[in-house]
Amino acid sequence: MIEQILGRLRSTVLNYDVAGAERVAREAAEAGIDPLEAIETGLTPPVREVGELFARGEVFLPELIMAGEAMKAGTAVLQPLISKGKEIHHKGRVVIGTVAGDLHDIGKSIVVAMLVAEGFDVVDLGVDVPAKRFVEEARRLNADIVALSALLTSALPEMKHVIQLLEGEELRRAAKVLVGGAATTRRYAESIGSDGWGGDAVEAVKEAVRLTKADKASPLTEETSRKRGSETK
Amino acid sequence: MTAGGCATRPLELLTTDELDDIHSATLHVLMTVGTEFHDKRSLAVLEEEGAEVDHSSRRATFSEDLVMDAVRNAPRSVTLCGRTGERDVTLERSRVFFAAGANALYILEPDGRKVRDATVEDCQKLAHLADALDNIHVYLSLASPQNVDPRGVDRLRCAVALQNTTKHFFHDAQGEAGARDQIELASIAAGGVEALVKRPLLSLAPCITSPFRWGAEALEVLRTMASEGLPQIISSEPLSGATSPVTLAGSLVQQNAELLSGLVLAQSVRKGCPVALCTFPSVMDMRTANIAAGAVELGLMTAAMAQLMRRYKLPYVGTGGVADSKTTDQQAAYEKAVTMMLPALAGSNLIHLSSGMLESILTVSYEQVVIDNEIAGMVLRALQGIEVSAETLATEVILRTGAGGHFLKDTHTLKHLRREHFIPRLTDRSTRTAWERNGAKDVLQRAHDEVDRILAEHEPAALDRDTVAAMNSSLKQMLKQAQRGKGDE
């Protein structure tokens, strides 16, 4: 019975069935299945599976995003039922948003979907996010990574501003900073003291994994970078 | 007047009924969804003009009358002036020109393998190079320097362009301050604001953030250009499947609605102000989440939009010749050829981003700039079509040459050769023996030689020394001002 429900829960995610995931999650709760187990065996693994298929080019971005949405819908039902003291296992908590002055959403949202598929707990603050809000949320949620996105060149200084605020609030050691978006370059990321740079969504996820593995402050390293001519200077 | 082309019988991808459907769907979207305007003054202007405004959601919706009044009030043609009259470009009907750009962050090294950050010197050299190329009619900054503070970099690119090419400069701006500063720089080059309004050397392109959201900076630029009566190029650049519907028709509806919402604002600020509408309609590659700007769908959507804008009698700026390839290879060539030909055949008035762009628009290659100039030449030749007249039917010539003769010594050949045949500069048509004798160079190597030749031989007409000094001194102040502020604390 339990296995059958968990199997169906997995299928909803693999079939990108958001409404189904919510419905089966309720069934799981009513059947008395441990909510944490339901999430960690019924919802998270199929999203990882879809993530792997995406990485192999066998499924496409909308499918990856819908699998994530299905997982979210199921999790929303089950999470409040998790008993105190227990927590969903994740690779790290990422607070992410597009910086103030920039309304571009899509690149950041793709990174969110891919971070979720990778097993991160992601809190998306949206677009045009004031620097102060990044800092407040990073503190409140005890974030491992603060991820900043920008498409407009004119919004770049705002990234530096966020980093300076994080420093001022002495959060810089607790939370690593990852910047990305079409306006950013590796050189710019370095120059403002970011810990990581995601040249595209796939790299942003790789950087997030690296940053959560790394101890303390680890600077941007050569091997994680795009092999740009300028970097050898 | 500079030599562009004209699509005499423009390609019509869509039937009249299909155009009607797109038009009606657009009006429906503008009436119901409308557009967000993240700028109080814009909302106030629109409200006064009769748009329905919800201030809490910053959303304006538009009636059919309001939209069609704006369409009627906008000029049917826009002239983008160069420093001299022979470089002027008039966007109207189905005339076709090409524009360079824009703003690549990286320079592809001549080996085609490595990239490096673009510098101010690159911006100078690329403007210099574009100045010499016949099939770049309007200049957009081919690169954006990475070795300077990003704040105020728009003013820097503007000054560099105005000083290194006499072609019209089509650009973007960092909000109202960026627009005002660039107007000042262009006024110095033109000899005063009045002279600039009369002969605008500069146009700016406010761009909506798809879907349906106008940011404050873009709106400041839009209002500034409208109130000054200077030309602006209102732009929509969605990625089909991500920031617009995955269906091309749906994406067209959105692009059209986004552009018309901007047009309504511009015409509300100042009736009759010069506006061209512009799209850069890419698709998202669903395997990599990257932009696909060399996609055939871009060519299709641009061609369809050219047709739609012609119906509105509005000047249209399309996009073509962007390659997603990382290097100057065969992929770059076929992406460029296909996406330059489609918008041109459809009569897009200006095809922008058509020079040098690789890696979508992140990287520029000097060599590719001259290769693309050649592709544009072939496309313009295609637009000329086949002239059929007594003279070109050449029956007399055929009769007098007869069977077994040849046409090389006939004056008819001499007379028509240059107009009838496109004479390529880079394309190799020699024998293998001759090709080997000349070093067996592929097109990339030949393009590299051509870049060197142009940079050594061509001298763009310089502004006089006092003008340059005045511009540089203003620029210095502008950069100081722009670099004050946040990020500096």
Side-chain angles (χ1 to χ4, degrees):
Chain A
M1 173 70 177
I2 292 178
E3 261 319 302
Q4 195 257 351
I5 292 177
L6 290 178
R8 279 200 289 129
L9 197 54
R10 277 192 289 275
S11 299
T12 60
V13 176
L14 292 173
N15 290 316
Y16 324 116
D17 178 4
V18 180
E22 190 184 334
R23 195 181 58 243
V24 179
R26 278 190 212 294
E27 268 183 59
E30 280 157 21
I33 300 174
D34 174 39
L36 194 58
E37 191 195 338
I39 291 170
E40 291 190 342
T41 64
L43 291 171
T44 318
V47 171
R48 300 290 304 268
E49 203 177 307
V50 174
E52 281 158 25
L53 290 172
F54 176 77
R56 290 208 299 270
E58 288 174 33
V59 303
F60 297 161
L61 187 65
E63 288 146 343
L64 179 69
I65 287 181
M66 289 310 279
E69 289 297 308
M71 182 197 80
K72 264 207 286 203
T75 307
V77 173
L78 295 163
Q79 196 160 21
L81 309 174
I82 297 173
S83 44
K84 270 214 171 110
K86 287 190 186 175
E87 211 185 312
I88 304 170
H89 175 263
H90 57 74
K91 280 196 174 165
R93 181 168 289 143
V94 183
V95 166
I96 188 169
T98 304
V99 297
D102 198 335
L103 300 171
H104 289 89
D105 180 75
I106 190 73
K108 182 260 308 160
S109 294
I110 291 162
V111 172
V112 169
M114 293 177 61
L115 284 170
V116 168
E118 187 64 31
F120 282 92
D121 180 27
V122 185
V123 180
D124 184 355
L125 303 180
V127 299
D128 196 13
V129 180
K132 241 173 63 191
R133 183 121 193 270
F134 279 109
V135 176
E136 286 163 8
E137 294 297 312
R139 183 197 308 280
R140 188 174 72 80
L141 299 163
N142 198 16
D144 299 299
I145 294 174
V146 176
L148 310 173
S149 172
L151 179 87
L152 302 176
T153 315
S154 56
L156 285 178
E158 189 59 21
M159 291 184 159
K160 186 172 166 191
H161 187 205
V162 176
I163 291 178
Q164 284 167 337
L165 275 189
L166 285 169
E167 264 162 17
E169 300 288 315
E170 291 181 347
L171 281 166
R172 208 48 197 87
R173 215 168 293 176
K176 301 277 165 54
V177 176
L178 173 58
V179 304
T184 64
T185 61
R186 191 183 140 70
R187 174 188 290 203
Y188 186 72
E190 277 172 357
S191 76
I192 60 172
S194 178
D195 300 299
W197 175 60
D200 61 27
V202 173
E203 258 183 75
V205 173
K206 278 191 196 153
E207 284 285 83
V209 171
R210 178 180 71 84
L211 292 176
T212 46
K213 279 184 187 154
D215 311 314
K216 293 179 189 158
S218 73
L220 277 161
T221 55
E222 277 301 315
E223 58 267 31
T224 58
S225 69
R226 286 172 96 172
K227 296 294 178 241
R228 294 277 187 210
S230 62
E231 290 157 13
T232 53
K233 277 181 198 158
Chain B
M1 187 78 64
T2 192
C6 185
T8 40
R9 267 179 297 277
L11 171 67
E12 292 188 351
L13 274 183
L14 303 170
T15 64
T16 314
D17 286 347
E18 286 166 343
L19 280 181
D20 284 344
D21 289 347
I22 290 175
H23 175 68
S24 316
T26 302
L27 290 176
H28 178 71
V29 166
L30 283 169
M31 267 185 274
T32 50
V33 183
T35 315
E36 278 181 24
F37 290 81
H38 288 223
D39 170 53
K40 287 200 178 103
R41 281 173 66 189
S42 298
L43 284 171
V45 169
L46 288 169
E47 195 164 35
E48 201 184 308
E49 198 67 17
E52 197 80 40
V53 171
D54 177 37
H55 289 277
S56 63
S57 65
R58 297 184 273 200
R59 205 151 56 90
T61 49
F62 307 89
S63 67
E64 178 171 354
D65 284 349
L66 192 56
V67 174
M68 295 320 287
D69 278 349
V71 169
R72 277 187 291 270
N73 288 332
R76 293 179 178 199
S77 82
V78 171
T79 298
L80 307 176
C81 294
R83 216 192 291 154
T84 51
E86 73 270 15
R87 294 210 146 176
D88 291 0
V89 165
T90 297
L91 310 181
E92 62 184 357
R93 296 194 295 269
S94 54
R95 302 186 60 176
V96 176
F97 298 96
F98 285 95
N103 294 343
L105 305 181
Y106 309 111
I107 306 287
L108 185 70
E109 299 277 20
D111 70 358
R113 295 287 154 219
K114 287 191 298 292
V115 288
R116 59 177 174 79
D117 286 356
T119 64
V120 178
E121 195 195 345
D122 287 311
C123 291
Q124 289 163 341
K125 280 165 67 180
L126 286 162
H128 180 167
L129 179 64
D131 190 72
L133 296 170
D134 288 343
N135 301 321
I136 297 175
H137 305 106
V138 165
Y139 189 64
L140 281 84
S141 188
L142 282 161
S144 188
Q146 298 300 298
N147 57 341
V148 295
D149 192 321
R151 292 165 299 175
V153 71
D154 54 339
R155 286 79 154 178
L156 177 61
R157 288 192 307 249
C158 181
V160 167
L162 291 171
Q163 291 176 21
N164 288 279
T165 176
T166 59
K167 293 180 184 182
H168 177 87
F169 187 46
F170 162 173
H171 201 213
D172 50 88
Q174 296 177 357
E176 179 166 356
R180 296 239 171 255
D181 283 353
Q182 290 185 64
I183 291 170
E184 189 185 325
L185 292 170
S187 299
I188 295 171
V193 185
E194 275 172 34
L196 180 70
V197 173
K198 224 182 229 172
R199 292 192 44 79
L201 298 174
L202 171 77
S203 53
L204 293 177
C207 182
I208 193 168
T209 307
S210 295
F212 299 110
R213 184 175 277 174
W214 279 103
E217 274 204 0
L219 290 171
E220 286 171 17
V221 175
L222 187 153
R223 285 195 284 99
T224 305
M225 294 306 271
S227 63
E228 297 298 326
L230 287 166
Q232 62 177 311
I233 296 168
I234 294 176
S235 307
S236 160
E237 308 185 341
L239 283 80
S240 168
T243 57
S244 78
V246 71
T247 47
L248 304 192
S251 187
L252 287 170
V253 168
Q254 182 183 319
Q255 291 161 42
N256 194 28
E258 289 179 340
L259 293 179
L260 292 176
S261 74
L263 183 73
V264 171
L265 177 60
Q267 296 305 320
S268 305
V269 170
R270 181 173 176 155
K271 204 170 277 183
C273 68
V275 175
L277 300 182
C278 168
T279 63
F280 174 13
S282 56
V283 303
M284 178 173 275
D285 181 88
M286 292 297 184
R287 297 158 305 175
T288 58
N290 287 333
I291 181 173
V296 64
E297 293 84 2
L298 173 139
L300 283 170
M301 286 190 274
T302 310
M305 195 53 87
Q307 197 184 341
L308 186 61
M309 290 299 143
R310 199 158 40 247
R311 170 195 165 126
Y312 294 141
K313 298 190 166 60
L314 294 173
Y316 171 61
V317 177
T319 303
V322 181
D324 299 310
S325 178
K326 308 300 164 288
T327 187
T328 41
D329 61 358
Q330 296 183 34
Q331 180 185 328
Y334 62 68
E335 289 177 321
K336 283 164 179 288
V338 170
T339 62
M340 276 156 90
M341 188 63 98
L342 275 166
L345 289 176
S348 304
N349 301 132
L350 186 65
I351 298 169
H352 87 310
L353 306 181
S354 62
S355 299
M357 292 294 112
L358 297 167
E359 195 181 354
S360 307
I361 52 171
L362 286 176
T363 293
V364 63
S365 147
Y366 283 80
E367 291 74 21
Q368 190 70 53
V369 172
V370 297
I371 295 172
D372 292 348
N373 181 64
E374 180 120 326
I375 300 175
M378 291 175 78
V379 170
L380 289 172
R381 172 63 192 93
L383 285 184
Q384 266 179 35
I386 297 173
E387 187 195 326
V388 181
S389 64
E391 173 72 10
T392 62
L393 286 167
T395 43
E396 293 272 321
V397 187
I398 292 169
L399 278 173
R400 68 176 171 249
T401 306
H406 68 75
F407 298 89
L408 283 171
K409 61 182 181 188
D410 201 294
T411 52
H412 184 263
T413 305
L414 200 61
K415 185 175 169 197
H416 293 286
L417 165 66
R418 281 164 207 284
R419 191 183 142 71
E420 288 285 315
H421 294 185
F422 172 68
I423 314 289
R425 211 184 156 87
L426 282 181
T427 305
D428 174 70
R429 292 167 171 174
S430 62
T431 60
R432 179 168 293 278
T433 322
W435 179 68
E436 284 173 352
R437 197 171 49 235
N438 288 322
K441 291 178 176 173
D442 64 15
V443 68
L444 185 57
Q445 292 165 308
R446 296 194 300 273
H448 184 70
D449 294 345
E450 178 69 354
V451 169
D452 284 349
R453 185 193 70 76
I454 292 172
L455 291 179
E457 289 178 7
H458 176 74
E459 202 55 63
L463 288 164
D464 67 71
R465 205 179 294 176
D466 292 347
T467 308
V468 173
M471 200 186 284
N472 288 345
S473 124
S474 291
L475 177 66
K476 213 167 154 189
Q477 287 306 312
M478 289 169 186
L479 293 179
K480 210 184 232 175
Q481 185 69 29
Q483 286 160 12
R484 219 172 279 156
K486 64 186 173 185
D488 249 5
E489 301 90 326

